[in-house]
Amino acid sequence: MQISGAVETTVETRFFHTHSLTPGMSRGSGIIPDESMFNEFKRQCLSTENWVSKYDKNDMVVWVEVAPLSTSTNNKGNLSKVHKIKCRMNIKDVSAATMYDVLHDGLYRKTWDPTMLESLDIARLAPNADVGYYSWICPKPLKNRDVVTLRSWQASENDYVIINFSVKHPNFPPRKDLVRAVSLLTGYLIKPTGPNSCVFTYLSQADPRGSLPKWVVNKASQVLAPKVLRSVHKAGQNYPTWKGANSPDHKPWLYPIQSELAMMDPAELSIQRGDSLENVDESSTRDVQENEDSS
């Protein structure tokens, strides 16, 4: 579930133009999220204002963000962008720490994510940040997608946070056989509720690109999100057994000294804008009912 245009400008203004370099950072490393960016992400995850519930069943809720009434001009304006989506799942049998490990463990993902084509950690940017590549299978006859993202994370007794957004990497340009998607802001907030339970929140604003109508993307996101989260939950249930047999003490996301990735200067990266990517025409791949409710 990955998204562009006016929305990109808003997100970039909020998260990048308003944050100065943290003291001690090298020139150009301002692209790495700072504490205020993590706090803003957590605020959005916990916020109820301007969010409308689209799904509420079996300890899982899915919301989409709506424009505030004071700034909403007409319904068409709301339909012109891809929604920001938020999913929250109450997990009663897996710890927050385990779910956090599942999201980080690339080797384990290969065992439970059937849509993954390729996943690659490219380089380290900081002890709690890296840049990576991920590609996935889309339902035929759509083209498969890929994305290059900067990922950063925090772990504490109170919560675990992972956020990512799309960047340009000089060695990973868009490929001809894939559509380059754009993550404006995607991430997870995991809060412990007990020794073996947690509240798991996923928030995403991402553009799959191509020429799919925005309402199709919105509808698909709302349907797919619960399925994806259930898969992640099941992966969490099975992770302790798998990890016990696969380098149980190797967790570079918790212990940076274990990382074998080469360091990279963050100044070599820049924010990926959707409007700079080729718009692949997929309009002939499926019949679209334009009059279907897209709210």
Side-chain angles (χ1 to χ4, degrees):
M1 293 174 286
Q2 307 283 349
I3 327 181
S4 90
V7 183
E8 263 186 346
T9 303
T10 301
V11 173
E12 287 175 13
T13 299
R14 178 182 301 170
F15 287 98
F16 299 104
H17 297 171
T18 61
H19 297 287
S20 60
L21 285 173
T22 300
M25 282 188 175
S26 63
R27 179 181 176 88
S29 61
I31 196 172
I32 298 176
D34 61 15
E35 186 66 28
S36 60
M37 294 172 71
F38 279 98
N39 289 337
E40 170 62 15
F41 176 77
K42 288 191 280 188
R43 184 198 67 78
Q44 291 191 43
C45 285
L46 299 174
S47 173
T48 57
E49 186 177 1
N50 300 322
W51 290 91
V52 175
S53 174
K54 294 293 184 178
Y55 180 97
D56 189 346
K57 189 177 181 181
N58 299 327
D59 287 321
M60 188 182 301
V61 185
V62 177
W63 298 270
V64 294
E65 187 181 44
V66 296
L69 292 177
S70 59
T71 60
S72 179
T73 55
N74 53 53
N75 195 44
K76 286 186 177 181
N78 288 335
L79 300 184
S80 65
K81 71 174 185 178
V82 179
H83 288 144
K84 183 181 294 182
I85 188 169
K86 179 166 62 179
C87 314
R88 183 171 299 152
M89 174 170 54
N90 289 314
I91 297 178
K92 301 175 181 178
D93 56 356
V94 184
S95 71
T98 295
M99 294 305 299
Y100 181 68
D101 289 347
V102 167
L103 295 174
H104 274 288
D105 200 323
L107 288 178
Y108 182 55
R109 184 165 189 166
K110 295 176 181 179
T111 72
W112 65 266
D113 184 355
T115 66
M116 184 177 73
L117 282 173
E118 184 180 359
S119 180
L120 174 66
D121 295 331
I122 300 171
R124 276 197 303 160
L125 305 172
N128 70 324
D130 62 18
V131 59
Y133 173 86
Y134 178 78
S135 60
W136 66 97
I137 301 169
C138 291
K140 290 183 177 181
L142 299 180
K143 282 194 170 185
N144 296 331
R145 260 66 176 172
D146 70 352
V147 67
V148 175
T149 57
L150 186 157
R151 177 180 63 169
S152 189
W153 56 89
Q154 284 186 344
S156 71
E157 292 183 359
N158 297 322
D159 54 42
Y160 300 82
V161 187
I162 303 173
I163 58 178
N164 78 59
F165 49 87
S166 283
V167 293
K168 294 180 182 179
H169 189 291
N171 297 331
F172 288 83
R175 292 167 45 173
K176 293 295 185 180
D177 58 328
L178 298 169
V179 175
R180 177 61 50 90
V182 176
S183 169
L184 298 177
L185 174 67
T186 297
Y188 306 86
L189 171 64
I190 312 170
K191 297 184 74 68
T193 55
N196 202 43
S197 61
C198 62
V199 175
F200 184 101
T201 303
Y202 166 78
L203 185 148
S204 181
Q205 192 169 46
D207 189 348
R209 300 301 296 163
S211 58
L212 295 175
K214 291 292 188 279
W215 73 263
V216 172
V217 177
N218 292 336
K219 281 290 186 181
S221 296
Q222 296 165 33
V223 171
L224 290 174
K227 295 180 180 179
V228 172
L229 262 64
R230 289 193 187 95
S231 295
V232 177
H233 179 197
K234 185 175 181 181
Q237 293 171 324
N238 297 330
Y239 184 71
T241 299
W242 181 90
K243 189 60 176 174
N246 293 271
S247 304
D249 297 323
H250 184 72
K251 296 183 179 182
W253 52 92
L254 295 178
Y255 314 110
I257 195 172
Q258 295 180 346
S259 177
E260 299 176 353
L261 287 177
M263 289 295 296
M264 178 180 182
D265 185 350
E268 296 183 51
L269 303 173
S270 59
I271 302 299
Q272 175 68 72
R273 297 175 182 271
D275 56 12
S276 69
L277 295 169
E278 180 183 359
N279 195 32
V280 179
D281 184 8
E282 296 176 296
S283 58
S284 63
T285 60
R286 58 176 60 191
D287 293 326
V288 179
Q289 298 179 359
E290 293 289 351
N291 60 346
E292 183 168 330
D293 175 27
S294 57
S295 62

